[in-house]
Amino acid sequence: MPTPGPRPNLKGASMTTLANMKLQAPSSTASSRQTSTSTSSFNSRNTSTTSFASSMGPGSRPPISYSRPASAMSNNFGQSIGGRPRGNTRTRPGPPMGDNEIDPDKGPGPGPGLGPQPNGWDVDERLHEVESQFKVMKEAMSLSLTDRKTLEDAVDLAKTREHRKHKYSLEDATREHRHELDEVRRELQDETERVQRTHREALEALERHYRVELEDERARSSKEIQDLRSKLGSEQQDLNLALLGKDREIQSLKSELDALRSDLEREQMTKGSLQQKITEMSTTSMTLEDRNRALRAQIDFLESDSKQQSDSFADMEARLQEAVKAADDARQKLIREETERRMLFNKYQELKGNIRVMCRVRPVLDSSEGDEAKILFPDLKTSTQIDVTGPEEKSSLGHTNRKLMPFEFDRVFSPEVHNEEIFGEISQLVQSALDGYNVCIFCYGQTGSGKTYTMSSADGMIPRATHMIYETVTKLKEKSWTYTMEGSFVEVYNEDLNDLLTPAKEAEGKKKLEIRHDDARKQTTVLNCKSVSLDSADTVEMMLRQAQNNRSVAATKANERSSRSHSVFILKLVGENSATQERCEGTLNLVDLAGSERLKHSGAEGDRMKETQNINKSLACLGDVIEALGRGSGHIPYRNSKLTHLLQYSLGGNSKTLMFVMVSPLEAHLKETLTSLRFATKVHNTHIGTAKSTKKLKERLSES
Ligand SMILES: Nc1ncnc2c1ncn2[C@@H]1O[C@H](COP(=O)(O)OP(=O)(O)OP(=O)(O)O)[C@@H](O)[C@H]1O
């Protein structure tokens, strides 16, 4: 129920004012209600503001100072609604309301006719009062609005401050956290860096260590690879050479086979024709015997009848003439056949190759010599192979093994083979020398391997060759061949040529030996060298004894009586055929080379070292010459050593060469054995051009 407002005082008031009053009275009530509401809300706000302000607490933002305490305002406002404001300085001062005052609870009082109203009817006063109340209310309103605004501002400010405070504290916290985070990050980073540094250092140390190890390993591996490569290279080279040699051998064997086949056919034909001739001759002989018998009968008859006798005599003479002619024809045929045999024989020799290599292993002399090397002779049928078990080798994986090294030559002689069998193989070459070829037979090998035993022992190649020559020469006399034989014996010692048939004392005042070559005859003469005419086999034995005494023999660690020089037995054979007028000139050189052991192994010093160096040099030169001949080189380095210079016409296209590689059976000599066998293999793989007999040369020379 709206409280009835005081009756408006129309006296002195304009109609407008009254109208306003009428209009405002209820609104005032309403506004009073409103005010009350707003006051309470203000109060509540004020309370909240106070609590908010108090929540700020000491040390926080300063409390908000209001222009007027809210409670006061509230009181004023309450009073202003109820009547005259009390104690409000802004309201018009007036007399205390007393009974005339409008009690808000009671209302403005009874209206006209509703009860006594002291001065209640004083409209002006009432109006004035209402106006002043209105003014007060208005002021209160504006104040309240201002307050509200202020409060709102304060709230906003507080909010802003609180917000800012929060923001600050948040920012502080963020900063703190960021700082902490930075610290932690820095620490972490430091730790990480430290760990990284430690790891890097460890890694670097490891890397350095492994790099060193790697370098070592690499160096070791590259050395091993290099060793293996060079070994492989040399083995490959050897294999290639062996392959080439084998190819050539196959080719030559094929052509040899063809030639032999045709030779055989020819020989068979010759044999057939010879047999036919023999049959013819025996028939002739029988005929002659018959005639003889008839002639005897005729003689008897002539003795009885002279005419008949003289006729028969003439007939007999004619027949005798015929028989003599037939015998002469047969002799001529024999000589022709000898010439043909020689030709065929030498052709066969040529086909066998001009350089042949044979290997001989000497037996173990007694158990004190030491362990025996593992040497096998697998090829029993043709006896051309020797397998040597090499020294112990360490593989890259650390395993120890021994390689089986096979070597192949024209012939291999095991320790049981005697000099007789060896000579069987070389006798054909001796025959070639008689037929006018230059022949050279070497014995190569380390000290104590059996060179001297093979070459010049009592039943060695030199005495056997000379015996064979004597026998052959004697037989050839029947075929109109007469031979002169001259022998000389020289040695090459420290690149000097010495005559072994002249004792050292006698040789002192004599001129030095000089080598002279006759290029047209392909013959070599040693000037100032003694040569002995060999008219009996005994002369050769005497020669050998003399040479042996004069040979330079010195002691080395490798062999007690070691030959330190190359000795060359030179046998010149000149044959002439009185029937055919043929002439041939051949030379047989039997060479016992000095020991081929290596300088390091021989333990040589001083003079012995010089000797060894010279021996090694001349052996190397011999290898070079054979190699150059094999290559077909235009320049053959004969003059690089005395030995090759001396043997110039016995090494090469116009001669036949046989090299014996002598092998010791002892394990202690294994390295030297392998070196010798490798050298011999190189020689074996060398193909030297076809040999030519000086007889043919002579024929050619005589033609020109
Ligand atoms: N086939 C063999 N049968 C029996 N004994 C042999 C045989 N070969 C060599 N000998 C002996 O072996 C020893 C050494 O041989 P030899 O003197 O011939 O060797 P070498 O190679 O000529 O040595 P150097 O180079 O010192 O002259 C000698 O006592 C010899 O009699």
Side-chain angles (χ1 to χ4, degrees):
M1 278 285 285
T3 312
R7 260 204 335 227
N9 184 6
L10 299 172
K11 194 182 165 185
S14 66
M15 285 305 285
T16 317
T17 315
L18 277 172
N20 283 341
M21 279 202 43
K22 274 182 186 167
L23 284 169
Q24 281 177 352
S27 69
S28 120
T29 315
S31 99
S32 156
R33 270 200 313 274
Q34 204 175 350
T35 311
S36 159
T37 318
S38 65
T39 308
S40 68
S41 78
F42 171 79
N43 280 343
S44 76
R45 266 202 309 272
N46 192 27
T47 314
S48 74
T49 309
T50 316
S51 78
F52 172 72
S54 66
S55 80
M56 298 287 278
S60 58
R61 308 265 170 236
I64 304 157
S65 69
Y66 298 104
S67 57
R68 187 164 60 106
S71 55
M73 186 182 75
S74 168
N75 288 343
N76 277 342
F77 185 63
Q79 280 170 357
S80 71
I81 292 171
R84 201 179 41 173
R86 286 183 292 234
N88 192 339
T89 48
R90 284 185 232 178
T91 52
R92 181 176 62 93
M97 280 177 80
D99 294 336
N100 289 335
E101 278 182 348
I102 299 169
D103 188 348
D105 299 326
K106 290 173 187 169
L114 290 176
Q117 291 182 2
N119 301 325
W121 301 104
D122 189 353
V123 177
D124 286 340
E125 196 183 330
R126 257 334 249 182
L127 196 65
H128 186 73
E129 200 177 314
V130 168
E131 272 178 2
S132 62
Q133 276 178 359
F134 177 72
K135 246 187 220 166
V136 168
M137 273 172 70
K138 205 175 170 184
E139 273 176 19
M141 276 291 281
S142 73
L143 271 172
S144 134
L145 281 171
T146 315
D147 284 348
R148 186 182 164 184
K149 179 115 178 56
T150 315
L151 278 169
E152 274 173 4
D153 288 350
V155 167
D156 284 347
L157 191 69
K159 263 187 195 169
T160 313
R161 278 184 186 160
E162 188 66 14
H163 183 70
R164 205 177 294 149
K165 189 185 151 203
H166 269 289
K167 195 176 151 198
Y168 287 152
S169 70
L170 271 174
E171 276 174 4
D172 286 350
T174 310
R175 237 190 326 276
E176 223 166 278
H177 283 154
R178 197 172 292 145
H179 181 69
E180 275 172 20
L181 203 69
D182 285 351
E183 287 265 291
V184 169
R185 195 178 287 149
R186 240 192 326 276
E187 273 171 22
L188 259 173
Q189 207 165 339
D190 288 353
E191 185 62 23
T192 314
E193 276 173 11
R194 194 181 57 74
V195 169
Q196 273 179 350
R197 209 178 309 120
T198 320
H199 277 216
R200 208 178 300 126
E201 278 166 13
L203 265 172
E204 277 170 9
L206 269 174
E207 203 178 309
R208 263 197 307 280
H209 173 73
Y210 284 120
R211 199 172 290 145
V212 169
E213 270 189 7
L214 200 72
E215 282 302 317
D216 289 353
E217 189 60 35
R218 196 178 289 153
R220 219 176 307 131
S221 302
S222 66
K223 195 178 170 297
E224 268 173 27
I225 288 167
Q226 219 167 337
D227 288 352
L228 280 172
R229 224 175 252 160
S230 62
K231 204 184 279 177
L232 201 74
S234 74
E235 275 175 12
Q236 211 166 357
Q237 214 175 349
D238 288 352
L239 276 175
N240 285 344
L241 281 170
L243 209 67
L244 260 171
K246 287 290 145 205
D247 280 351
R248 257 188 253 129
E249 209 175 298
I250 289 167
Q251 284 303 325
S252 76
L253 279 173
K254 267 186 193 158
S255 50
E256 188 183 329
L257 198 72
D258 291 344
L260 278 174
R261 247 183 225 140
S262 57
D263 285 354
L264 199 71
E265 280 168 15
R266 226 178 302 146
E267 287 277 11
Q268 274 170 348
M269 277 167 66
T270 316
K271 193 181 156 199
S273 70
L274 273 173
Q275 272 172 347
Q276 205 184 336
K277 285 279 165 203
I278 289 165
T279 324
E280 274 173 23
M281 280 180 82
S282 62
T283 320
T284 316
S285 154
M286 273 161 68
T287 320
L288 282 173
E289 271 173 25
D290 286 348
R291 280 195 185 161
N292 199 11
R293 266 195 302 276
L295 281 171
R296 253 178 234 280
Q298 274 182 359
I299 289 165
D300 293 340
F301 167 73
L302 281 171
E303 276 171 14
S304 58
D305 186 4
S306 69
K307 175 146 179 16
Q308 239 179 350
Q309 249 181 18
S310 62
D311 288 350
S312 308
F313 187 74
D315 184 44
M316 197 176 71
E317 201 174 316
R319 281 167 191 254
L320 196 67
Q321 286 294 323
E322 252 176 56
V324 167
K325 193 173 175 296
D328 207 37
D329 283 353
R331 196 166 158 267
Q332 287 301 320
K333 191 159 187 190
L334 217 62
I335 291 166
R336 271 203 307 280
E337 273 161 13
E338 167 60 19
T339 313
E340 201 174 338
R341 183 208 58 76
R342 281 180 175 224
M343 198 189 76
L344 287 172
F345 173 76
N346 285 302
K347 195 159 189 182
Y348 168 70
Q349 288 296 310
E350 279 163 20
L351 287 166
K352 270 186 151 185
N354 292 336
I355 183 145
R356 271 177 261 171
V357 180
M358 297 185 187
C359 170
R360 184 182 195 185
V361 183
R362 77 154 167 88
V364 179
L365 302 177
D366 66 75
S367 54
S368 67
E369 284 202 296
D371 289 341
E372 208 173 330
K374 288 188 181 66
I375 300 176
L376 298 170
F377 305 92
D379 173 24
L380 295 171
K381 214 169 170 188
T382 53
S383 306
T384 55
Q385 197 177 326
I386 176 172
D387 290 354
V388 182
T389 306
E392 279 192 352
E393 278 176 26
K394 262 205 170 160
S395 71
S396 51
L397 295 169
H399 302 306
T400 339
N401 49 26
R402 298 182 70 168
K403 272 191 213 157
L404 189 78
M405 303 179 191
F407 296 92
E408 211 174 55
F409 302 107
D410 292 291
R411 193 65 211 269
V412 174
F413 300 104
S414 58
E416 309 81 51
V417 175
H418 294 287
N419 276 347
E420 192 183 356
E421 199 180 325
I422 308 274
F423 185 73
E425 281 291 330
I426 71 157
S427 61
Q428 293 167 343
L429 288 174
V430 177
Q431 180 64 55
S432 285
L434 279 167
D435 293 344
Y437 284 83
N438 287 340
V439 175
C440 198
I441 300 174
F442 289 102
C443 268
Y444 175 92
Q446 74 162 119
T447 299
S449 56
K451 299 184 296 290
T452 310
Y453 180 88
T454 303
M455 204 53 104
S456 37
S457 65
D459 73 337
M461 301 306 116
I462 296 178
R464 280 179 183 276
T466 44
H467 278 108
M468 178 191 155
I469 287 167
Y470 279 119
E471 281 168 25
T472 316
V473 164
T474 313
K475 277 187 202 160
L476 281 172
K477 274 183 184 156
E478 292 168 23
K479 293 171 186 175
S480 308
W481 280 98
T482 45
Y483 276 87
T484 54
M485 292 177 283
E486 265 183 22
S488 44
F489 213 157
V490 294
E491 71 164 9
V492 181
Y493 176 69
N494 279 346
E495 285 301 287
D496 278 332
L497 207 57
N498 301 324
D499 184 359
L500 286 179
L501 299 182
T502 309
K505 278 183 190 167
E506 276 180 43
E508 269 171 21
K510 285 182 92 177
K511 281 185 185 172
K512 275 187 104 180
L513 304 191
E514 279 176 44
I515 299 165
R516 289 278 184 276
H517 292 310
D518 181 340
D519 200 40
R521 280 165 54 231
K522 300 284 176 211
Q523 291 299 320
T524 304
T525 319
V526 182
L527 286 185
N528 309 317
C529 181
K530 189 172 172 181
S531 67
V532 178
S533 175
L534 301 172
D535 27 43
S536 74
D538 298 340
T539 329
V540 175
E541 270 150 36
M542 186 267 293
M543 246 178 90
L544 289 177
R545 268 197 308 277
Q546 206 173 345
Q548 191 57 38
N549 291 338
N550 295 333
R551 255 190 110 174
S552 302
V553 174
T556 68
K557 281 186 188 175
N559 195 9
E560 217 179 313
R561 273 175 51 81
S562 170
S563 308
R564 311 297 300 157
S565 61
H566 309 300
S567 70
V568 187
F569 176 77
I570 306 164
L571 191 58
K572 284 196 179 295
L573 302 162
V574 182
E576 279 179 0
N577 192 308
S578 54
T580 59
Q581 302 306 306
E582 282 176 286
R583 187 178 188 274
C584 64
E585 196 173 349
T587 309
L588 176 67
N589 298 283
L590 298 167
V591 188
D592 182 358
L593 292 170
S596 62
E597 65 278 0
R598 289 166 303 160
L599 195 59
K600 207 169 135 197
H601 174 71
S602 71
E605 289 160 6
D607 284 351
R608 296 287 89 85
M609 174 132 94
K610 193 181 163 204
E611 281 174 1
T612 312
Q613 281 170 339
N614 277 315
I615 291 165
N616 289 349
K617 186 192 154 210
S618 57
L619 290 177
C621 288
L622 179 65
D624 292 346
V625 164
I626 293 172
E627 199 236 9
L629 286 166
R631 267 193 287 116
S633 164
H635 170 71
I636 312 293
Y638 289 117
R639 281 177 182 268
N640 281 2
S641 82
K642 268 272 157 37
L643 181 72
T644 48
H645 190 208
L646 176 70
L647 300 171
Q648 179 162 335
Y649 291 123
S650 298
L651 287 171
N654 199 30
S655 64
K656 293 169 187 252
T657 308
L658 170 69
M659 191 175 93
F660 276 108
V661 56
M662 312 304 297
V663 168
S664 158
L666 305 177
E667 179 76 26
H669 296 155
L670 191 59
K671 280 193 176 163
E672 295 298 343
T673 297
L674 289 171
T675 311
S676 299
L677 289 172
R678 284 192 188 114
F679 178 81
T681 304
K682 275 188 187 150
V683 175
H684 184 227
N685 292 332
T686 306
H687 177 77
I688 298 179
T690 311
K692 285 190 180 67
S693 158
T694 51
K695 185 181 73 192
K696 288 176 189 165
L697 185 79
K698 187 181 162 242
E699 282 166 3
R700 204 175 61 229
L701 282 172
S702 58
E703 274 166 23
S704 64

